[in-house]
Amino acid sequence: MMNRRAPLLFILSLCSLSGGAVQATPLDISTGCDGSPSLLQGLSILRNDTLTEMRDYQGDNRLLNTRYRTRIGKALLTITFAPNLQSIIRRYSEPGVPEQEQDYQFRCSGMGSFQAQDVEIRLVKGGLIMRELRPDSMAIPSSISVFYEPSP
């Protein structure tokens, strides 16, 4: 016979004593999917025009969509995953500026992490975080990560 109290005890063990909210599992950014040091360590994250911290995000292994986007000022950045999830195209568009496109081929992926040459992506609750070491646009910061949300 199945013990019906076990799931309830597990849920209660996740709740904090200050109001019963479930505590988020921290995002592990110690290494990338290939075991090398993560490109995301110690960085702030740009979410639209606001700087946030890594501790504000919870890891997730589910790809919510194949298209993601964010805005930085008047610029729109989009990411599109290839159907086989082996690459992405990141587009940068801004009024009055020619659209720029960067293609990244992943060398590894797994457990919510994707890595390409000079790029790392981590899936998080509500979207993904991406860092580009050598973006093709001066408007995309290489010294911080950028949060992208699923695109409709």
mmCIF file of all heavy atoms in Angstrom, residues 49-102:
data_model
loop_
_atom_site.group_PDB
_atom_site.id
_atom_site.type_symbol
_atom_site.label_atom_id
_atom_site.label_comp_id
_atom_site.label_asym_id
_atom_site.label_seq_id
_atom_site.Cartn_x
_atom_site.Cartn_y
_atom_site.Cartn_z
ATOM 1 N N ASP A 49 16.201 46.376 -19.099
ATOM 2 C CA ASP A 49 17.176 47.432 -18.792
ATOM 3 C C ASP A 49 17.563 47.438 -17.317
ATOM 4 O O ASP A 49 18.069 48.441 -16.811
ATOM 5 C CB ASP A 49 16.604 48.797 -19.187
ATOM 6 C CG ASP A 49 16.506 48.956 -20.696
ATOM 7 O OD1 ASP A 49 17.371 48.410 -21.407
ATOM 8 O OD2 ASP A 49 15.559 49.618 -21.169
ATOM 9 N N THR A 50 17.345 46.321 -16.617
ATOM 10 C CA THR A 50 17.612 46.234 -15.188
ATOM 11 C C THR A 50 18.677 45.180 -14.903
ATOM 12 O O THR A 50 18.603 44.075 -15.429
ATOM 13 C CB THR A 50 16.318 45.869 -14.427
ATOM 14 O OG1 THR A 50 15.301 46.824 -14.741
ATOM 15 C CG2 THR A 50 16.551 45.835 -12.935
ATOM 16 N N LEU A 51 19.661 45.523 -14.075
ATOM 17 C CA LEU A 51 20.657 44.535 -13.666
ATOM 18 C C LEU A 51 20.123 43.702 -12.517
ATOM 19 O O LEU A 51 19.598 44.236 -11.533
ATOM 20 C CB LEU A 51 21.951 45.228 -13.221
ATOM 21 C CG LEU A 51 22.894 45.650 -14.327
ATOM 22 C CD1 LEU A 51 24.117 46.343 -13.741
ATOM 23 C CD2 LEU A 51 23.316 44.490 -15.195
ATOM 24 N N THR A 52 20.233 42.389 -12.648
ATOM 25 C CA THR A 52 19.805 41.456 -11.614
ATOM 26 C C THR A 52 20.995 40.572 -11.264
ATOM 27 O O THR A 52 22.038 40.626 -11.914
ATOM 28 C CB THR A 52 18.616 40.597 -12.093
ATOM 29 O OG1 THR A 52 19.000 39.879 -13.272
ATOM 30 C CG2 THR A 52 17.399 41.459 -12.415
ATOM 31 N N GLU A 53 20.826 39.732 -10.255
ATOM 32 C CA GLU A 53 21.898 38.843 -9.800
ATOM 33 C C GLU A 53 21.531 37.388 -10.062
ATOM 34 O O GLU A 53 20.354 37.034 -10.111
ATOM 35 C CB GLU A 53 22.154 39.057 -8.306
ATOM 36 C CG GLU A 53 22.613 40.465 -7.956
ATOM 37 C CD GLU A 53 23.926 40.844 -8.626
ATOM 38 O OE1 GLU A 53 24.819 39.976 -8.724
ATOM 39 O OE2 GLU A 53 24.045 41.999 -9.057
ATOM 40 N N MET A 54 22.529 36.537 -10.164
ATOM 41 C CA MET A 54 22.324 35.117 -10.424
ATOM 42 C C MET A 54 21.434 34.475 -9.356
ATOM 43 O O MET A 54 20.638 33.597 -9.657
ATOM 44 C CB MET A 54 23.671 34.400 -10.499
ATOM 45 C CG MET A 54 23.624 33.045 -11.131
ATOM 46 S SD MET A 54 23.086 33.018 -12.843
ATOM 47 C CE MET A 54 24.496 33.697 -13.673
ATOM 48 N N ARG A 55 21.536 34.943 -8.131
ATOM 49 C CA ARG A 55 20.733 34.350 -7.049
ATOM 50 C C ARG A 55 19.234 34.583 -7.245
ATOM 51 O O ARG A 55 18.411 33.957 -6.592
ATOM 52 C CB ARG A 55 21.193 34.882 -5.697
ATOM 53 C CG ARG A 55 20.907 36.346 -5.482
ATOM 54 C CD ARG A 55 21.306 36.822 -4.081
ATOM 55 N NE ARG A 55 21.153 38.244 -3.968
ATOM 56 C CZ ARG A 55 22.118 39.143 -4.174
ATOM 57 N NH1 ARG A 55 23.325 38.731 -4.494
ATOM 58 N NH2 ARG A 55 21.879 40.420 -4.065
ATOM 59 N N ASP A 56 18.862 35.489 -8.150
ATOM 60 C CA ASP A 56 17.452 35.778 -8.428
ATOM 61 C C ASP A 56 16.820 34.734 -9.350
ATOM 62 O O ASP A 56 15.625 34.813 -9.624
ATOM 63 C CB ASP A 56 17.309 37.162 -9.083
ATOM 64 C CG ASP A 56 17.792 38.284 -8.189
ATOM 65 O OD1 ASP A 56 17.736 38.131 -6.954
ATOM 66 O OD2 ASP A 56 18.232 39.312 -8.730
ATOM 67 N N TYR A 57 17.588 33.770 -9.833
ATOM 68 C CA TYR A 57 17.101 32.809 -10.822
ATOM 69 C C TYR A 57 17.182 31.382 -10.295
ATOM 70 O O TYR A 57 18.064 31.045 -9.525
ATOM 71 C CB TYR A 57 17.915 32.922 -12.119
ATOM 72 C CG TYR A 57 17.750 34.277 -12.748
ATOM 73 C CD1 TYR A 57 18.605 35.326 -12.418
ATOM 74 C CD2 TYR A 57 16.718 34.521 -13.628
ATOM 75 C CE1 TYR A 57 18.441 36.584 -12.971
ATOM 76 C CE2 TYR A 57 16.545 35.777 -14.183
ATOM 77 C CZ TYR A 57 17.403 36.805 -13.850
ATOM 78 O OH TYR A 57 17.239 38.049 -14.390
ATOM 79 N N GLN A 58 16.247 30.583 -10.756
ATOM 80 C CA GLN A 58 16.185 29.172 -10.396
ATOM 81 C C GLN A 58 16.412 28.350 -11.662
ATOM 82 O O GLN A 58 15.821 28.631 -12.710
ATOM 83 C CB GLN A 58 14.816 28.863 -9.796
ATOM 84 C CG GLN A 58 14.659 27.447 -9.325
ATOM 85 C CD GLN A 58 13.296 27.215 -8.697
ATOM 86 O OE1 GLN A 58 12.466 28.106 -8.624
ATOM 87 N NE2 GLN A 58 13.063 26.007 -8.254
ATOM 88 N N GLY A 59 17.274 27.363 -11.572
ATOM 89 C CA GLY A 59 17.580 26.519 -12.724
ATOM 90 C C GLY A 59 16.381 25.724 -13.200
ATOM 91 O O GLY A 59 15.458 25.441 -12.447
ATOM 92 N N ASP A 60 16.391 25.389 -14.485
ATOM 93 C CA ASP A 60 15.324 24.605 -15.091
ATOM 94 C C ASP A 60 15.942 23.827 -16.247
ATOM 95 O O ASP A 60 16.804 24.346 -16.947
ATOM 96 C CB ASP A 60 14.220 25.525 -15.610
ATOM 97 C CG ASP A 60 12.921 24.793 -15.892
ATOM 98 O OD1 ASP A 60 12.912 23.546 -15.906
ATOM 99 O OD2 ASP A 60 11.899 25.466 -16.109
ATOM 100 N N ASN A 61 15.521 22.598 -16.449
ATOM 101 C CA ASN A 61 16.055 21.771 -17.524
ATOM 102 C C ASN A 61 15.124 21.706 -18.729
ATOM 103 O O ASN A 61 15.385 20.985 -19.673
ATOM 104 C CB ASN A 61 16.331 20.344 -17.031
ATOM 105 C CG ASN A 61 17.456 20.314 -16.040
ATOM 106 O OD1 ASN A 61 18.336 21.173 -16.047
ATOM 107 N ND2 ASN A 61 17.437 19.347 -15.158
ATOM 108 N N ARG A 62 14.014 22.466 -18.682
ATOM 109 C CA ARG A 62 13.032 22.398 -19.765
ATOM 110 C C ARG A 62 13.172 23.601 -20.697
ATOM 111 O O ARG A 62 13.204 24.733 -20.254
ATOM 112 C CB ARG A 62 11.612 22.391 -19.208
ATOM 113 C CG ARG A 62 11.301 21.157 -18.378
ATOM 114 C CD ARG A 62 9.950 21.251 -17.719
ATOM 115 N NE ARG A 62 9.950 22.389 -16.786
ATOM 116 C CZ ARG A 62 8.973 23.280 -16.698
ATOM 117 N NH1 ARG A 62 7.919 23.186 -17.454
ATOM 118 N NH2 ARG A 62 9.041 24.275 -15.840
ATOM 119 N N LEU A 63 13.249 23.318 -21.984
ATOM 120 C CA LEU A 63 13.240 24.365 -22.989
ATOM 121 C C LEU A 63 11.775 24.739 -23.215
ATOM 122 O O LEU A 63 10.980 23.923 -23.670
ATOM 123 C CB LEU A 63 13.882 23.852 -24.287
ATOM 124 C CG LEU A 63 14.187 24.869 -25.356
ATOM 125 C CD1 LEU A 63 15.242 25.863 -24.852
ATOM 126 C CD2 LEU A 63 14.694 24.178 -26.604
ATOM 127 N N LEU A 64 11.381 25.960 -22.833
ATOM 128 C CA LEU A 64 9.986 26.377 -22.899
ATOM 129 C C LEU A 64 9.526 26.674 -24.314
ATOM 130 O O LEU A 64 8.340 26.625 -24.614
ATOM 131 C CB LEU A 64 9.765 27.624 -22.034
ATOM 132 C CG LEU A 64 10.081 27.479 -20.550
ATOM 133 C CD1 LEU A 64 9.913 28.812 -19.842
ATOM 134 C CD2 LEU A 64 9.190 26.418 -19.919
ATOM 135 N N ASN A 65 10.445 26.997 -25.171
ATOM 136 C CA ASN A 65 10.120 27.455 -26.505
ATOM 137 C C ASN A 65 11.374 27.302 -27.354
ATOM 138 O O ASN A 65 12.454 27.054 -26.825
ATOM 139 C CB ASN A 65 9.703 28.934 -26.420
ATOM 140 C CG ASN A 65 8.857 29.395 -27.577
ATOM 141 O OD1 ASN A 65 8.835 28.778 -28.630
ATOM 142 N ND2 ASN A 65 8.150 30.494 -27.388
ATOM 143 N N THR A 66 11.261 27.497 -28.661
ATOM 144 C CA THR A 66 12.456 27.517 -29.503
ATOM 145 C C THR A 66 12.823 28.946 -29.892
ATOM 146 O O THR A 66 13.832 29.165 -30.536
ATOM 147 C CB THR A 66 12.271 26.673 -30.778
ATOM 148 O OG1 THR A 66 11.132 27.157 -31.483
ATOM 149 C CG2 THR A 66 12.100 25.199 -30.431
ATOM 150 N N ARG A 67 12.004 29.915 -29.484
ATOM 151 C CA ARG A 67 12.294 31.326 -29.748
ATOM 152 C C ARG A 67 12.217 32.109 -28.440
ATOM 153 O O ARG A 67 11.267 31.964 -27.668
ATOM 154 C CB ARG A 67 11.302 31.916 -30.754
ATOM 155 C CG ARG A 67 11.491 31.376 -32.164
ATOM 156 C CD ARG A 67 10.539 32.006 -33.158
ATOM 157 N NE ARG A 67 10.368 33.441 -33.017
ATOM 158 C CZ ARG A 67 11.102 34.375 -33.644
ATOM 159 N NH1 ARG A 67 12.063 34.003 -34.444
ATOM 160 N NH2 ARG A 67 10.861 35.654 -33.463
ATOM 161 N N TYR A 68 13.223 32.966 -28.237
ATOM 162 C CA TYR A 68 13.303 33.796 -27.040
ATOM 163 C C TYR A 68 13.645 35.222 -27.462
ATOM 164 O O TYR A 68 14.192 35.438 -28.548
ATOM 165 C CB TYR A 68 14.394 33.264 -26.094
ATOM 166 C CG TYR A 68 14.033 31.959 -25.448
ATOM 167 C CD1 TYR A 68 14.174 30.763 -26.142
ATOM 168 C CD2 TYR A 68 13.529 31.921 -24.158
ATOM 169 C CE1 TYR A 68 13.825 29.558 -25.554
ATOM 170 C CE2 TYR A 68 13.189 30.720 -23.556
ATOM 171 C CZ TYR A 68 13.337 29.544 -24.269
ATOM 172 O OH TYR A 68 12.987 28.359 -23.689
ATOM 173 N N ARG A 69 13.322 36.187 -26.592
ATOM 174 C CA ARG A 69 13.617 37.576 -26.928
ATOM 175 C C ARG A 69 13.858 38.419 -25.683
ATOM 176 O O ARG A 69 13.479 38.043 -24.570
ATOM 177 C CB ARG A 69 12.474 38.190 -27.720
ATOM 178 C CG ARG A 69 11.225 38.381 -26.867
ATOM 179 C CD ARG A 69 10.144 39.031 -27.638
ATOM 180 N NE ARG A 69 8.978 39.208 -26.768
ATOM 181 C CZ ARG A 69 7.833 39.625 -27.181
ATOM 182 N NH1 ARG A 69 7.653 39.906 -28.445
ATOM 183 N NH2 ARG A 69 6.838 39.768 -26.339
ATOM 184 N N THR A 70 14.471 39.577 -25.903
ATOM 185 C CA THR A 70 14.647 40.572 -24.855
ATOM 186 C C THR A 70 14.804 41.927 -25.517
ATOM 187 O O THR A 70 15.085 42.016 -26.714
ATOM 188 C CB THR A 70 15.855 40.267 -23.949
ATOM 189 O OG1 THR A 70 15.806 41.109 -22.797
ATOM 190 C CG2 THR A 70 17.171 40.468 -24.674
ATOM 191 N N ARG A 71 14.635 42.960 -24.742
ATOM 192 C CA ARG A 71 14.854 44.329 -25.218
ATOM 193 C C ARG A 71 15.937 44.973 -24.370
ATOM 194 O O ARG A 71 15.938 44.833 -23.144
ATOM 195 C CB ARG A 71 13.587 45.160 -25.115
ATOM 196 C CG ARG A 71 12.560 44.790 -26.147
ATOM 197 C CD ARG A 71 11.605 45.941 -26.424
ATOM 198 N NE ARG A 71 10.699 45.602 -27.482
ATOM 199 C CZ ARG A 71 10.938 45.799 -28.773
ATOM 200 N NH1 ARG A 71 12.057 46.344 -29.152
ATOM 201 N NH2 ARG A 71 10.055 45.469 -29.681
ATOM 202 N N ILE A 72 16.844 45.668 -25.038
ATOM 203 C CA ILE A 72 17.849 46.486 -24.369
ATOM 204 C C ILE A 72 17.701 47.871 -24.989
ATOM 205 O O ILE A 72 18.060 48.064 -26.161
ATOM 206 C CB ILE A 72 19.275 45.935 -24.559
ATOM 207 C CG1 ILE A 72 19.399 44.521 -23.987
ATOM 208 C CG2 ILE A 72 20.292 46.860 -23.918
ATOM 209 C CD1 ILE A 72 20.739 43.852 -24.222
ATOM 210 N N GLY A 73 17.140 48.797 -24.242
ATOM 211 C CA GLY A 73 16.825 50.095 -24.808
ATOM 212 C C GLY A 73 15.824 49.916 -25.934
ATOM 213 O O GLY A 73 14.798 49.267 -25.773
ATOM 214 N N LYS A 74 16.136 50.446 -27.129
ATOM 215 C CA LYS A 74 15.255 50.307 -28.292
ATOM 216 C C LYS A 74 15.571 49.065 -29.112
ATOM 217 O O LYS A 74 14.881 48.754 -30.075
ATOM 218 C CB LYS A 74 15.369 51.544 -29.180
ATOM 219 C CG LYS A 74 14.842 52.796 -28.521
ATOM 220 C CD LYS A 74 14.973 53.979 -29.451
ATOM 221 C CE LYS A 74 14.454 55.233 -28.760
ATOM 222 N NZ LYS A 74 14.574 56.402 -29.645
ATOM 223 N N ALA A 75 16.627 48.357 -28.747
ATOM 224 C CA ALA A 75 17.062 47.180 -29.502
ATOM 225 C C ALA A 75 16.251 45.948 -29.103
ATOM 226 O O ALA A 75 15.906 45.762 -27.938
ATOM 227 C CB ALA A 75 18.537 46.912 -29.257
ATOM 228 N N LEU A 76 15.965 45.113 -30.082
ATOM 229 C CA LEU A 76 15.308 43.824 -29.860
ATOM 230 C C LEU A 76 16.316 42.728 -30.198
ATOM 231 O O LEU A 76 16.897 42.722 -31.283
ATOM 232 C CB LEU A 76 14.075 43.678 -30.751
ATOM 233 C CG LEU A 76 13.367 42.330 -30.693
ATOM 234 C CD1 LEU A 76 12.760 42.088 -29.306
ATOM 235 C CD2 LEU A 76 12.288 42.247 -31.762
ATOM 236 N N LEU A 77 16.536 41.828 -29.239
ATOM 237 C CA LEU A 77 17.403 40.676 -29.441
ATOM 238 C C LEU A 77 16.545 39.433 -29.422
ATOM 239 O O LEU A 77 15.696 39.271 -28.530
ATOM 240 C CB LEU A 77 18.455 40.567 -28.336
ATOM 241 C CG LEU A 77 19.615 41.557 -28.393
ATOM 242 C CD1 LEU A 77 19.178 42.913 -27.909
ATOM 243 C CD2 LEU A 77 20.754 41.046 -27.560
ATOM 244 N N THR A 78 16.728 38.561 -30.404
ATOM 245 C CA THR A 78 15.977 37.308 -30.445
ATOM 246 C C THR A 78 16.944 36.143 -30.591
ATOM 247 O O THR A 78 18.025 36.280 -31.178
ATOM 248 C CB THR A 78 14.972 37.276 -31.617
ATOM 249 O OG1 THR A 78 15.678 37.409 -32.850
ATOM 250 C CG2 THR A 78 13.929 38.376 -31.481
ATOM 251 N N ILE A 79 16.550 35.018 -30.026
ATOM 252 C CA ILE A 79 17.293 33.763 -30.157
ATOM 253 C C ILE A 79 16.329 32.738 -30.738
ATOM 254 O O ILE A 79 15.203 32.604 -30.260
ATOM 255 C CB ILE A 79 17.785 33.255 -28.785
ATOM 256 C CG1 ILE A 79 18.837 34.195 -28.214
ATOM 257 C CG2 ILE A 79 18.337 31.833 -28.898
ATOM 258 C CD1 ILE A 79 19.259 33.824 -26.805
ATOM 259 N N THR A 80 16.785 32.023 -31.752
ATOM 260 C CA THR A 80 16.001 30.940 -32.333
ATOM 261 C C THR A 80 16.835 29.674 -32.310
ATOM 262 O O THR A 80 17.944 29.643 -32.861
ATOM 263 C CB THR A 80 15.598 31.272 -33.790
ATOM 264 O OG1 THR A 80 14.899 32.514 -33.801
ATOM 265 C CG2 THR A 80 14.709 30.177 -34.357
ATOM 266 N N PHE A 81 16.323 28.642 -31.645
ATOM 267 C CA PHE A 81 16.997 27.340 -31.614
ATOM 268 C C PHE A 81 16.678 26.583 -32.899
ATOM 269 O O PHE A 81 15.547 26.611 -33.377
ATOM 270 C CB PHE A 81 16.498 26.499 -30.428
ATOM 271 C CG PHE A 81 17.129 26.850 -29.120
ATOM 272 C CD1 PHE A 81 16.653 27.916 -28.376
ATOM 273 C CD2 PHE A 81 18.183 26.103 -28.612
ATOM 274 C CE1 PHE A 81 17.223 28.240 -27.157
ATOM 275 C CE2 PHE A 81 18.764 26.423 -27.400
ATOM 276 C CZ PHE A 81 18.284 27.497 -26.666
ATOM 277 N N ALA A 82 17.670 25.902 -33.455
ATOM 278 C CA ALA A 82 17.447 25.022 -34.602
ATOM 279 C C ALA A 82 16.549 23.868 -34.164
ATOM 280 O O ALA A 82 16.543 23.506 -32.979
ATOM 281 C CB ALA A 82 18.782 24.490 -35.122
ATOM 282 N N PRO A 83 15.795 23.276 -35.084
ATOM 283 C CA PRO A 83 14.905 22.167 -34.708
ATOM 284 C C PRO A 83 15.617 21.019 -33.997
ATOM 285 O O PRO A 83 15.053 20.380 -33.126
ATOM 286 C CB PRO A 83 14.323 21.699 -36.046
ATOM 287 C CG PRO A 83 14.401 22.906 -36.917
ATOM 288 C CD PRO A 83 15.651 23.644 -36.483
ATOM 289 N N ASN A 84 16.887 20.766 -34.320
ATOM 290 C CA ASN A 84 17.634 19.681 -33.687
ATOM 291 C C ASN A 84 18.327 20.118 -32.393
ATOM 292 O O ASN A 84 19.031 19.347 -31.770
ATOM 293 C CB ASN A 84 18.656 19.095 -34.658
ATOM 294 C CG ASN A 84 19.712 20.108 -35.077
ATOM 295 O OD1 ASN A 84 19.767 21.240 -34.574
ATOM 296 N ND2 ASN A 84 20.549 19.711 -36.015
ATOM 297 N N LEU A 85 18.163 21.388 -32.010
ATOM 298 C CA LEU A 85 18.750 21.978 -30.795
ATOM 299 C C LEU A 85 20.279 21.933 -30.783
ATOM 300 O O LEU A 85 20.897 22.018 -29.736
ATOM 301 C CB LEU A 85 18.198 21.317 -29.532
ATOM 302 C CG LEU A 85 16.686 21.361 -29.348
ATOM 303 C CD1 LEU A 85 16.291 20.681 -28.049
ATOM 304 C CD2 LEU A 85 16.163 22.785 -29.384
ATOM 305 N N GLN A 86 20.895 21.860 -31.955
ATOM 306 C CA GLN A 86 22.356 21.817 -32.050
ATOM 307 C C GLN A 86 22.972 23.190 -32.311
ATOM 308 O O GLN A 86 24.192 23.331 -32.302
ATOM 309 C CB GLN A 86 22.795 20.844 -33.147
ATOM 310 C CG GLN A 86 22.411 19.407 -32.857
ATOM 311 C CD GLN A 86 23.044 18.901 -31.580
ATOM 312 O OE1 GLN A 86 24.244 19.022 -31.381
ATOM 313 N NE2 GLN A 86 22.246 18.354 -30.686
ATOM 314 N N SER A 87 22.113 24.198 -32.535
ATOM 315 C CA SER A 87 22.619 25.544 -32.805
ATOM 316 C C SER A 87 21.534 26.573 -32.516
ATOM 317 O O SER A 87 20.362 26.223 -32.345
ATOM 318 C CB SER A 87 23.078 25.661 -34.260
ATOM 319 O OG SER A 87 21.973 25.527 -35.129
ATOM 320 N N ILE A 88 21.955 27.835 -32.486
ATOM 321 C CA ILE A 88 21.017 28.946 -32.365
ATOM 322 C C ILE A 88 21.432 30.050 -33.324
ATOM 323 O O ILE A 88 22.592 30.118 -33.754
ATOM 324 C CB ILE A 88 20.941 29.553 -30.942
ATOM 325 C CG1 ILE A 88 22.305 30.094 -30.513
ATOM 326 C CG2 ILE A 88 20.361 28.596 -29.945
ATOM 327 C CD1 ILE A 88 22.249 31.021 -29.318
ATOM 328 N N ILE A 89 20.483 30.913 -33.629
ATOM 329 C CA ILE A 89 20.755 32.160 -34.320
ATOM 330 C C ILE A 89 20.296 33.265 -33.390
ATOM 331 O O ILE A 89 19.159 33.262 -32.912
ATOM 332 C CB ILE A 89 20.024 32.249 -35.662
ATOM 333 C CG1 ILE A 89 20.542 31.166 -36.612
ATOM 334 C CG2 ILE A 89 20.193 33.653 -36.269
ATOM 335 C CD1 ILE A 89 19.777 31.083 -37.910
ATOM 336 N N ARG A 90 21.209 34.203 -33.097
ATOM 337 C CA ARG A 90 20.849 35.363 -32.285
ATOM 338 C C ARG A 90 20.806 36.573 -33.211
ATOM 339 O O ARG A 90 21.749 36.850 -33.930
ATOM 340 C CB ARG A 90 21.850 35.578 -31.146
ATOM 341 C CG ARG A 90 21.337 36.525 -30.075
ATOM 342 C CD ARG A 90 21.844 37.936 -30.163
ATOM 343 N NE ARG A 90 23.280 37.989 -30.287
ATOM 344 C CZ ARG A 90 23.882 38.659 -31.273
ATOM 345 N NH1 ARG A 90 23.207 39.291 -32.189
ATOM 346 N NH2 ARG A 90 25.207 38.677 -31.340
ATOM 347 N N ARG A 91 19.671 37.255 -33.228
ATOM 348 C CA ARG A 91 19.500 38.437 -34.072
ATOM 349 C C ARG A 91 19.419 39.685 -33.205
ATOM 350 O O ARG A 91 18.832 39.661 -32.132
ATOM 351 C CB ARG A 91 18.235 38.323 -34.902
ATOM 352 C CG ARG A 91 18.329 37.287 -35.995
ATOM 353 C CD ARG A 91 17.059 37.234 -36.847
ATOM 354 N NE ARG A 91 17.205 36.262 -37.907
ATOM 355 C CZ ARG A 91 16.890 34.981 -37.778
ATOM 356 N NH1 ARG A 91 16.421 34.528 -36.646
ATOM 357 N NH2 ARG A 91 17.054 34.157 -38.799
ATOM 358 N N TYR A 92 20.000 40.763 -33.739
ATOM 359 C CA TYR A 92 19.969 42.062 -33.081
ATOM 360 C C TYR A 92 19.358 43.048 -34.065
ATOM 361 O O TYR A 92 19.829 43.176 -35.193
ATOM 362 C CB TYR A 92 21.389 42.502 -32.715
ATOM 363 C CG TYR A 92 21.463 43.910 -32.182
ATOM 364 C CD1 TYR A 92 21.353 44.158 -30.821
ATOM 365 C CD2 TYR A 92 21.633 44.991 -33.037
ATOM 366 C CE1 TYR A 92 21.419 45.450 -30.323
ATOM 367 C CE2 TYR A 92 21.707 46.282 -32.547
ATOM 368 C CZ TYR A 92 21.593 46.504 -31.194
ATOM 369 O OH TYR A 92 21.654 47.783 -30.707
ATOM 370 N N SER A 93 18.275 43.709 -33.655
ATOM 371 C CA SER A 93 17.677 44.724 -34.522
ATOM 372 C C SER A 93 17.355 45.965 -33.696
ATOM 373 O O SER A 93 16.967 45.878 -32.530
ATOM 374 C CB SER A 93 16.420 44.192 -35.217
ATOM 375 O OG SER A 93 15.460 43.788 -34.271
ATOM 376 N N GLU A 94 17.570 47.100 -34.334
ATOM 377 C CA GLU A 94 17.330 48.388 -33.697
ATOM 378 C C GLU A 94 16.892 49.355 -34.799
ATOM 379 O O GLU A 94 17.436 49.302 -35.906
ATOM 380 C CB GLU A 94 18.618 48.876 -33.028
ATOM 381 C CG GLU A 94 18.473 50.152 -32.257
ATOM 382 C CD GLU A 94 19.752 50.542 -31.523
ATOM 383 O OE1 GLU A 94 20.747 49.803 -31.565
ATOM 384 O OE2 GLU A 94 19.736 51.601 -30.898
ATOM 385 N N PRO A 95 15.938 50.230 -34.517
ATOM 386 C CA PRO A 95 15.489 51.169 -35.550
ATOM 387 C C PRO A 95 16.662 51.963 -36.133
ATOM 388 O O PRO A 95 17.508 52.473 -35.404
ATOM 389 C CB PRO A 95 14.524 52.100 -34.801
ATOM 390 C CG PRO A 95 14.058 51.301 -33.622
ATOM 391 C CD PRO A 95 15.214 50.405 -33.258
ATOM 392 N N GLY A 96 16.736 52.008 -37.475
ATOM 393 C CA GLY A 96 17.778 52.768 -38.154
ATOM 394 C C GLY A 96 19.116 52.070 -38.276
ATOM 395 O O GLY A 96 20.068 52.648 -38.794
ATOM 396 N N VAL A 97 19.225 50.833 -37.797
ATOM 397 C CA VAL A 97 20.487 50.083 -37.837
ATOM 398 C C VAL A 97 20.234 48.773 -38.583
ATOM 399 O O VAL A 97 19.231 48.097 -38.320
ATOM 400 C CB VAL A 97 20.988 49.784 -36.390
ATOM 401 C CG1 VAL A 97 22.252 48.948 -36.419
ATOM 402 C CG2 VAL A 97 21.195 51.073 -35.622
ATOM 403 N N PRO A 98 21.135 48.378 -39.504
ATOM 404 C CA PRO A 98 20.938 47.090 -40.178
ATOM 405 C C PRO A 98 20.910 45.936 -39.161
ATOM 406 O O PRO A 98 21.662 45.934 -38.188
ATOM 407 C CB PRO A 98 22.159 46.967 -41.092
ATOM 408 C CG PRO A 98 22.699 48.350 -41.237
ATOM 409 C CD PRO A 98 22.328 49.073 -39.979
ATOM 410 N N GLU A 99 20.022 44.978 -39.415
ATOM 411 C CA GLU A 99 19.920 43.808 -38.526
ATOM 412 C C GLU A 99 21.226 43.020 -38.563
ATOM 413 O O GLU A 99 21.838 42.854 -39.612
ATOM 414 C CB GLU A 99 18.757 42.914 -38.959
ATOM 415 C CG GLU A 99 18.536 41.754 -38.021
ATOM 416 C CD GLU A 99 17.302 40.950 -38.379
ATOM 417 O OE1 GLU A 99 16.197 41.369 -37.995
ATOM 418 O OE2 GLU A 99 17.460 39.903 -39.043
ATOM 419 N N GLN A 100 21.637 42.552 -37.390
ATOM 420 C CA GLN A 100 22.840 41.733 -37.278
ATOM 421 C C GLN A 100 22.441 40.350 -36.798
ATOM 422 O O GLN A 100 21.539 40.207 -35.976
ATOM 423 C CB GLN A 100 23.817 42.374 -36.297
ATOM 424 C CG GLN A 100 24.279 43.742 -36.746
ATOM 425 C CD GLN A 100 25.084 44.453 -35.676
ATOM 426 O OE1 GLN A 100 25.290 43.952 -34.585
ATOM 427 N NE2 GLN A 100 25.540 45.644 -35.988
ATOM 428 N N GLU A 101 23.137 39.347 -37.315
ATOM 429 C CA GLU A 101 22.810 37.961 -37.002
ATOM 430 C C GLU A 101 24.084 37.203 -36.650
ATOM 431 O O GLU A 101 25.103 37.357 -37.310
ATOM 432 C CB GLU A 101 22.149 37.349 -38.229
ATOM 433 C CG GLU A 101 21.558 36.001 -38.036
ATOM 434 C CD GLU A 101 20.802 35.573 -39.273
ATOM 435 O OE1 GLU A 101 19.664 36.040 -39.478
ATOM 436 O OE2 GLU A 101 21.367 34.764 -40.038
ATOM 437 N N GLN A 102 24.014 36.398 -35.606
ATOM 438 C CA GLN A 102 25.151 35.578 -35.179
ATOM 439 C C GLN A 102 24.669 34.142 -35.029
ATOM 440 O O GLN A 102 23.659 33.895 -34.381
ATOM 441 C CB GLN A 102 25.683 36.104 -33.843
ATOM 442 C CG GLN A 102 26.917 35.421 -33.342
ATOM 443 C CD GLN A 102 28.164 35.872 -34.073
ATOM 444 O OE1 GLN A 102 28.280 37.025 -34.446
ATOM 445 N NE2 GLN A 102 29.080 34.966 -34.292
#
